[in-house]
Amino acid sequence: MNKQLFLGDEAIAQAAIDAGLSGVYSYPGTPSTEITEYIQNAVKKEHIPFLHAVWCSNEKTAVETALGMSYAGKRTLSCMKHVGLNVAADAFMNIAMTGINGGMIIVTADDPSMHSSQSEQDNRIYGNFAMIPVFEPSNQQEAYDMVYEGYDLSEKLGYPILLRITTRMAHSRAGIVTRDRKPQNPIRLEKEAKSKYILLPANARNRFKRLIEAQSAFLEASERSKYNWFSPPNPSEGGASSVEDVGRAVVPVAPPSGGHGRERGIVACGIAFNYLQENFPNGFENPVLKISQYPLPKKQLLQLVEACDEILVLEDGFPVVEEQLKGYLGTGLKVHGRLDGTLQRDGELTPDKVRKALGLEVVSPYNVPEIITARPPALCAGCGHRDVYEALNEVIKEYNAAKVFSDIGCYTLGALPPWQTIDSCVDMGASVTMARGAADAGIFPSVAVIGDSTFTHSGMTGLLDCVNANANVLIIISDNETTGMTGGQESAATGRIHDICKGIGVHPDHLHAIVPLRKNHEELKALIRKEIEYQGVSVIVPCRECIQTHARKVRKNK
Amino acid sequence: MKTDIILAGVGGQGILSIAAVIGEAALEDGLYMKQSEVHGMSQRGGDVQSHLRISDRPVASDLIPLGCADIIISLEPMEALRYLPYLKKDGWIVANSNPFENIPHYPDREKMMAEYDKLPHTIVLDVEQMAKDLGALRSSNVILLGAASPYLPIDFFKLENGIRNIFGRKGEAVVEMNLEALRAGAGKA
């Protein structure tokens, strides 16, 4: 079979296309961005008809749009980083109530160790919260197969599936075997659609009962899943314990039955299974239950618990499974993992952390020499955000107590030297709203710095709040005409930021456009000073294209 | 046979292109591989690394365990040393000698080279000068790959095919320039 080299993200994208996808709706966010980008490129390159691959204003609009596509009977995908699901949570939770028509997969790309994020929340918890099935692939081939077959399962169950990956899975390549492309679904409406999608209390109560009833089907799917299986300690007993077996249609083999070396059972979830396997290249010495589909397969877990005195849980992210097995009081089953210190509570799992948890020695002959220093990321040379921070720094020096609330994007790097301008970066849009709250509290000057894409994602509503209250804030929308941090995806309102602010009600006298260049430095400073002094809402939009996207265009046009 | 490779450098230096060339060549050879890389925020002038694992048996972990890397290939001399805990005792370092100084407290050069002297197997090359001499300014990464080629589990001509596959869409001139760079690097090793 021919293998192609795919990132985990790309494997998911290719699988969705091959499963007959009709629409992917997403908002960029590391490490999920490459899924939607891949589908966009495939649509262009292969001229796939009727496949919509678009960036939306935010994750909530993306998931809702996907629901509309599913309502019509077609297969749909929505991808986001873990914190993006917080934004989409209203839609997400209620889609578990409505259920779906055309197959729907929502991808959450979690970021343990926070390589490019402000938290390491584990969104398997969202799966439990919404009470829907969750897939967690352990390798790229499994990611492909899960998506390819997941659409059938989603349609069979009538509910969306949450696919949870982590940064390592998203951004690691492996050879993948792909399968035949299926045709897209035709429009196919449901007879009882109104009672399903109109979540008036009378309908919603019924839908919730349906969701509760559906749990047994979800559990059965997990217990029969080819992604959840036992491996006995000795491969000669016929278990699946080589990497090659992973993703093959391995029916769970006979559960462990006690005896030598079986006092500790291991539960390995998703990518943690790889790290476990790395430490046992010649087969496991303990009974192992690999879990890649939730809800937790109760039958297999009971069998494991019966055969073992204690359980070690290996999972990347939060101790979700560990907590479930242990129970809140922890008085029953002996469970080891992140909660009892067998593994570090925070941070990404590694083969070395797993090795230590197994009681094996880690041998590393060389240390990092003391002279090595950190090399944090920085704003690119020539970036417009630099000009904004230089001007802003010079002006706010004139005030004693200025606070600059910033946001999520490249300009967050204004926290680092040489600028050290900003005082906060919390969540998408929080610059505008925090600035208003601080201004209400008496902070002066209270300034917000937000990018164009973040502004249209979640800053516009906050600006409306400011306008309605005539808050004493200066909002700087540092517009680079792209979604820069994630690699330059289109921004929702390029060229229209000024008009949007006007429409929201910012007074035209206090709404300014300027090009952030060295030659306009004094002019920008004067504008900032003037608008800090104005008692009310002012908006300055320094606008100059991201130098990365600009350079790419120049290269392309050569 | 299993070879674990750490690729290191600073965002934008082209380590992911080297990874792609080796990866293509390994796959063509029917070998198993996993390659984990860094995207997103870290690419903005920060340190970047990629774990590349090639084997004739399936590869389990996407990450190389500590003390297991056979070779560290680095486009920047300090960045190679950052990943020393991954290197096995008799492993190799193949590194560019030119510091990329975009940080305030870059280590003293002599002290840094003294760290290299403590290690058993190192090749430190001025690949940027070599690229200038070749008239292939943007191919210093490929020169370094050439220098590392004797320590990779892949036939040289398959790396050449990898270059053709990866750079093919950029035109024949770019392919030829990179092939020349690869050979120049291999000649120095």
Side-chain angles (χ1 to χ4, degrees):
Chain A
M1 268 179 291
N2 233 344
K3 282 187 184 174
Q4 285 169 277
L5 205 50
F6 281 139
L7 286 176
D9 275 350
E10 295 168 344
I12 290 166
Q14 185 64 50
I17 296 171
D18 293 344
L21 186 75
S22 295
V24 54
Y25 302 96
S26 306
Y27 184 80
T30 311
S32 70
T33 313
E34 291 82 358
I35 305 171
T36 304
E37 272 187 336
Y38 181 96
I39 299 174
Q40 287 181 327
N41 290 336
V43 168
K44 258 189 238 156
K45 220 165 65 187
E46 300 176 39
H47 307 288
I48 306 171
F50 310 113
L51 172 47
H52 301 260
V54 287
W55 296 119
C56 297
S57 297
N58 66 37
E59 294 84 356
K60 179 172 178 286
T61 66
V63 170
E64 290 159 350
T65 312
L67 179 63
M69 179 65 84
S70 166
Y71 176 93
K74 300 199 176 197
R75 292 186 164 183
T76 181
L77 180 70
S78 186
C79 311
M80 59 209 70
K81 68 183 294 162
H82 56 348
V83 287
L85 192 52
N86 299 336
V87 177
D90 195 6
F92 175 76
M93 293 302 293
N94 290 309
I95 292 172
M97 294 287 285
T98 62
I100 54 89
N101 182 20
M104 181 176 195
I105 294 179
I106 296 167
V107 179
T108 168
D110 296 1
D111 190 17
S113 272
M114 300 175 253
H115 299 281
S116 303
S117 307
Q118 70 273 40
S119 89
E120 61 175 36
Q121 70 180 51
D122 186 328
N123 281 357
R124 288 177 299 169
I125 292 172
Y126 264 119
N128 290 345
F129 193 16
M131 300 164 69
I132 61 165
V134 178
F135 281 153
E136 188 189 14
S138 68
N139 62 41
Q140 293 77 359
Q141 184 69 56
E142 232 178 37
Y144 180 91
D145 295 339
M146 281 175 165
V147 171
Y148 188 81
E149 292 164 11
Y151 280 102
D152 291 337
L153 183 68
S154 168
E155 284 170 6
K156 188 179 143 212
L157 297 172
Y159 285 91
I161 288 171
L162 181 65
L163 178 76
R164 188 250 184 176
I165 55 172
T166 56
T167 304
R168 204 53 65 186
M169 174 60 54
H171 288 168
S172 172
R173 281 173 213 278
I176 298 295
V177 180
T178 60
R179 291 151 80 171
D180 292 338
R181 186 163 308 174
K182 296 179 189 174
Q184 293 182 27
N185 287 349
I187 289 186
R188 191 177 50 198
L189 296 171
E190 294 162 289
K191 282 201 186 101
E192 305 297 322
K194 286 196 183 195
S195 64
K196 204 170 150 181
Y197 295 100
I198 302 176
L199 288 178
L200 275 167
N203 289 336
R205 286 182 203 117
N206 281 333
R207 289 306 305 175
F208 189 43
K209 283 192 205 306
R210 286 280 288 274
L211 177 61
I212 293 167
E213 281 162 19
Q215 297 305 303
S216 58
F218 299 170
L219 179 62
E220 194 190 336
S222 278
E223 289 174 346
R224 290 175 168 225
S225 169
K226 66 182 186 186
Y227 307 116
N228 294 339
W229 41 262
F230 272 118
S231 182
N234 184 344
S236 65
E237 289 175 32
S241 50
S242 87
V243 184
E244 257 183 333
D245 291 332
V246 178
R248 231 173 51 187
V250 181
V251 178
V253 297
S257 53
H260 174 71
R262 294 189 172 188
E263 64 281 354
R264 175 179 270 203
I266 300 175
V267 172
C269 307
I271 201 165
F273 180 76
N274 300 355
Y275 302 146
L276 176 67
Q277 203 165 34
E278 181 70 27
N279 286 296
F280 294 107
N282 301 314
F284 300 125
E285 289 166 11
N286 300 68
V288 172
L289 175 57
K290 170 186 172 291
I291 295 180
S292 287
Q293 185 175 335
Y294 307 81
L296 285 173
K298 196 176 259 176
K299 203 161 77 188
Q300 285 88 341
L301 278 166
L302 279 172
Q303 287 166 337
L304 185 75
V305 168
E306 259 166 46
C308 304
D309 295 334
E310 51 180 11
I311 306 286
L312 170 65
V313 182
L314 304 173
E315 53 192 326
D316 207 356
F318 284 13
V320 178
V321 172
E322 188 184 348
E323 218 157 26
Q324 278 178 289
L325 295 185
K326 197 174 203 155
Y328 182 64
L329 296 177
T331 47
L333 184 65
K334 232 190 258 175
V335 182
H336 305 288
R338 289 182 184 258
L339 289 173
D340 74 343
T342 304
L343 283 154
Q344 195 180 316
R345 173 63 180 79
D346 61 330
E348 185 186 6
L349 219 53
T350 65
D352 313 298
K353 287 183 186 170
V354 169
R355 192 169 176 82
K356 276 184 205 152
L358 294 165
L360 302 169
E361 197 191 354
V362 175
V363 182
S364 172
Y366 305 105
N367 295 323
V368 181
E370 274 174 23
I371 54 163
I372 303 302
T373 55
R375 194 190 298 265
L379 288 172
C380 307
C383 169
H385 297 317
R386 284 176 173 255
D387 297 278
V388 171
Y389 281 132
E390 271 158 35
L392 184 57
N393 270 357
E394 286 177 29
V395 178
I396 59 176
K397 253 196 335 220
E398 300 162 11
Y399 298 86
N400 282 331
K403 292 292 168 203
V404 179
F405 301 93
S406 192
D407 227 298
I408 313 281
C410 287
Y411 46 89
T412 313
L413 296 170
L416 306 178
W419 300 285
Q420 295 175 291
T421 313
I422 68 170
D423 295 288
S424 75
C425 158
V426 180
D427 67 77
M428 298 285 282
S431 57
V432 177
T433 34
M434 279 183 74
R436 184 220 162 166
D440 284 357
I443 298 285
F444 175 80
S446 187
V447 181
V449 176
I450 185 169
D452 50 314
S453 185
T454 306
F455 176 69
T456 49
H457 178 289
S458 287
M460 299 192 299
T461 44
L463 181 59
L464 181 59
D465 285 348
C466 291
V467 167
N468 289 345
N470 196 30
N472 190 15
V473 292
L474 165 60
I475 314 290
I476 297 175
I477 304 173
S478 193
D479 182 357
N480 60 2
E481 304 186 309
T482 190
T483 313
M485 182 99 269
T486 46
Q489 294 72 32
E490 66 197 55
S491 179
T494 295
R496 288 177 290 145
I497 298 292
H498 195 91
D499 289 345
I500 287 172
C501 294
K502 214 160 93 184
I504 286 173
V506 178
H507 195 284
D509 291 349
H510 301 284
L511 173 60
H512 310 274
I514 185 168
V515 181
L517 279 168
R518 195 70 223 165
K519 64 176 183 188
N520 298 333
H521 181 69
E522 290 305 323
E523 192 190 339
L524 179 55
K525 271 172 67 182
L527 266 184
I528 292 172
R529 199 177 289 115
K530 173 181 155 236
E531 291 307 338
I532 282 177
E533 288 302 324
Y534 168 68
Q535 300 284 310
V537 180
S538 347
V539 175
I540 300 175
V541 187
C543 177
R544 178 156 69 81
E545 188 183 2
C546 164
I547 64 141
Q548 295 286 347
T549 56
H550 180 72
R552 210 176 301 154
K553 275 185 207 156
V554 170
R555 277 201 299 274
K556 218 171 148 187
N557 294 334
K558 246 189 203 169
Chain B
M1 182 284 295
K2 177 166 76 78
T3 305
D4 285 337
I5 306 161
I6 301 253
L7 295 152
V10 179
Q13 281 191 313
I15 73 156
L16 293 185
S17 303
I18 304 187
V21 171
I22 304 175
E24 282 285 328
L27 212 60
E28 193 189 311
D29 236 355
L31 296 170
Y32 293 92
M33 65 156 293
K34 276 192 177 171
Q35 183 229 325
S36 152
E37 55 191 50
V38 179
H39 295 211
M41 190 169 219
S42 318
Q43 283 181 302
R44 302 270 177 268
D47 56 284
V48 292
Q49 53 152 330
S50 169
H51 288 210
L52 179 55
R53 317 192 71 193
I54 300 170
S55 174
D56 55 4
R57 291 181 58 192
V59 178
S61 168
D62 302 73
L63 290 170
I64 298 170
L66 292 168
C68 288
D70 298 277
I71 181 167
I72 296 175
I73 303 174
S74 179
L75 280 158
E76 210 283 339
M78 179 180 82
E79 292 307 324
L81 300 175
R82 192 187 300 283
Y83 304 104
L84 272 186
Y86 286 97
L87 193 66
K88 61 164 69 160
K89 197 152 193 210
D90 56 351
W92 283 81
I93 291 189
V94 179
N96 176 15
S97 63
N98 281 295
F100 190 104
E101 298 190 37
N102 64 342
I103 42 172
H105 305 291
Y106 195 90
D108 175 73
R109 217 189 141 109
E110 272 178 28
K111 280 188 189 154
M112 189 164 68
M113 293 332 283
E115 295 294 338
Y116 274 87
D117 293 340
K118 292 181 196 165
L119 301 164
H121 307 297
T122 59
I123 294 173
V124 184
L125 284 178
D126 188 345
V127 289
E128 280 160 33
Q129 187 57 48
M130 289 171 71
K132 270 183 209 149
D133 296 345
L134 272 182
L137 282 179
R138 295 183 63 181
S139 300
S140 45
N141 57 342
V142 176
I143 294 177
L144 195 71
L145 171 62
S149 61
Y151 312 102
L152 301 179
I154 295 163
D155 291 335
F156 192 76
F157 76 91
K158 282 182 183 143
L159 287 178
E160 293 180 321
N161 286 344
I163 296 266
R164 288 189 187 98
N165 287 337
I166 297 295
F167 294 101
R169 63 189 168 85
K170 294 184 176 174
E172 194 49 36
V174 176
V175 169
E176 278 311 315
M177 190 161 68
N178 280 295
L179 285 174
E180 209 182 316
L182 186 76
R183 287 166 200 148
K188 282 282 176 182

Short mmCIF file of all heavy atoms in Angstrom, two decimals, chain A residues 18 47 64 114 211 242 254 259 261 267 374 381 394 433 436-437 530:
data_model
loop_
_atom_site.label_atom_id
_atom_site.label_comp_id
_atom_site.label_asym_id
_atom_site.label_seq_id
_atom_site.Cartn_x
_atom_site.Cartn_y
_atom_site.Cartn_z
N ASP A 18 -12.13 12.48 2.13
CA ASP A 18 -12.40 11.14 1.61
C ASP A 18 -13.73 10.58 2.11
O ASP A 18 -14.31 9.69 1.48
CB ASP A 18 -11.25 10.18 1.99
CG ASP A 18 -9.95 10.54 1.27
OD1 ASP A 18 -10.01 11.30 0.28
OD2 ASP A 18 -8.87 10.08 1.70
N HIS A 47 -9.98 20.98 -7.49
CA HIS A 47 -11.27 21.53 -7.93
C HIS A 47 -12.44 20.68 -7.43
O HIS A 47 -13.30 20.28 -8.20
CB HIS A 47 -11.32 21.64 -9.46
CG HIS A 47 -10.16 22.40 -10.02
ND1 HIS A 47 -10.03 23.76 -9.87
CD2 HIS A 47 -9.06 21.98 -10.68
CE1 HIS A 47 -8.89 24.15 -10.44
NE2 HIS A 47 -8.28 23.10 -10.93
N GLU A 64 -21.87 26.72 14.47
CA GLU A 64 -23.28 26.90 14.09
C GLU A 64 -23.47 26.73 12.59
O GLU A 64 -24.47 26.15 12.14
CB GLU A 64 -23.75 28.29 14.54
CG GLU A 64 -23.88 28.42 16.05
CD GLU A 64 -23.85 29.86 16.54
OE1 GLU A 64 -23.54 30.76 15.73
OE2 GLU A 64 -24.11 30.08 17.73
N MET A 114 1.18 24.11 26.92
CA MET A 114 0.94 25.48 26.45
C MET A 114 2.02 25.98 25.52
O MET A 114 2.60 27.03 25.73
CB MET A 114 0.75 26.43 27.63
CG MET A 114 -0.42 26.02 28.51
SD MET A 114 -0.63 27.01 30.00
CE MET A 114 -0.09 25.87 31.27
N LEU A 211 -31.14 12.25 24.74
CA LEU A 211 -29.69 12.24 24.92
C LEU A 211 -29.29 11.28 26.04
O LEU A 211 -28.32 10.53 25.92
CB LEU A 211 -29.19 13.67 25.23
CG LEU A 211 -27.70 13.83 25.51
CD1 LEU A 211 -26.85 13.40 24.31
CD2 LEU A 211 -27.36 15.28 25.87
N SER A 242 2.25 -4.57 18.89
CA SER A 242 3.21 -3.86 18.06
C SER A 242 2.48 -2.67 17.45
O SER A 242 1.26 -2.66 17.36
CB SER A 242 3.75 -4.76 16.96
OG SER A 242 2.90 -4.71 15.84
N ALA A 254 -8.85 -11.66 24.69
CA ALA A 254 -9.33 -12.07 26.01
C ALA A 254 -8.72 -11.18 27.08
O ALA A 254 -7.54 -10.84 27.02
CB ALA A 254 -8.95 -13.51 26.26
N GLY A 259 -2.50 -13.63 37.70
CA GLY A 259 -1.30 -14.45 37.56
C GLY A 259 -0.06 -13.60 37.61
O GLY A 259 -0.10 -12.43 37.99
N GLY A 261 2.92 -11.15 37.39
CA GLY A 261 3.19 -9.84 36.82
C GLY A 261 1.95 -9.05 36.46
O GLY A 261 2.01 -8.10 35.71
N VAL A 267 -3.85 1.77 32.05
CA VAL A 267 -4.79 2.35 31.10
C VAL A 267 -4.03 3.44 30.35
O VAL A 267 -3.47 4.35 30.98
CB VAL A 267 -6.01 2.96 31.82
CG1 VAL A 267 -6.89 3.73 30.84
CG2 VAL A 267 -6.81 1.85 32.50
N ALA A 374 17.74 31.38 26.97
CA ALA A 374 16.44 31.24 26.31
C ALA A 374 16.40 32.08 25.04
O ALA A 374 17.07 33.11 24.94
CB ALA A 374 15.33 31.66 27.26
N ALA A 381 11.18 41.68 12.33
CA ALA A 381 11.72 42.98 11.92
C ALA A 381 10.80 43.56 10.86
O ALA A 381 10.38 42.86 9.95
CB ALA A 381 13.12 42.79 11.36
N GLU A 394 6.24 55.63 24.23
CA GLU A 394 6.72 57.00 24.45
C GLU A 394 5.63 57.88 25.04
O GLU A 394 5.90 58.74 25.87
CB GLU A 394 7.26 57.57 23.13
CG GLU A 394 8.61 56.94 22.77
CD GLU A 394 9.16 57.43 21.43
OE1 GLU A 394 8.85 58.58 21.04
OE2 GLU A 394 9.89 56.65 20.79
N THR A 433 -12.79 44.90 26.73
CA THR A 433 -13.69 44.87 27.88
C THR A 433 -12.96 45.11 29.20
O THR A 433 -13.48 45.79 30.08
CB THR A 433 -14.43 43.52 27.91
OG1 THR A 433 -13.56 42.49 27.41
CG2 THR A 433 -15.64 43.56 27.00
N ARG A 436 -12.35 48.75 29.55
CA ARG A 436 -13.54 49.47 29.99
C ARG A 436 -13.75 49.30 31.50
O ARG A 436 -14.02 50.27 32.22
CB ARG A 436 -14.76 48.96 29.22
CG ARG A 436 -16.00 49.74 29.57
CD ARG A 436 -17.20 48.84 29.69
NE ARG A 436 -18.26 49.51 30.42
CZ ARG A 436 -19.50 49.07 30.43
NH1 ARG A 436 -19.82 47.99 29.75
NH2 ARG A 436 -20.41 49.69 31.14
N GLY A 437 -13.65 48.06 31.98
CA GLY A 437 -13.85 47.82 33.41
C GLY A 437 -12.84 48.59 34.25
O GLY A 437 -13.18 49.18 35.28
N LYS A 530 -3.65 62.74 22.02
CA LYS A 530 -4.92 63.47 21.90
C LYS A 530 -6.09 62.60 22.35
O LYS A 530 -6.98 63.04 23.09
CB LYS A 530 -5.10 63.89 20.43
CG LYS A 530 -6.44 64.51 20.12
CD LYS A 530 -6.58 64.90 18.64
CE LYS A 530 -8.05 64.91 18.27
NZ LYS A 530 -8.43 64.09 17.18
#
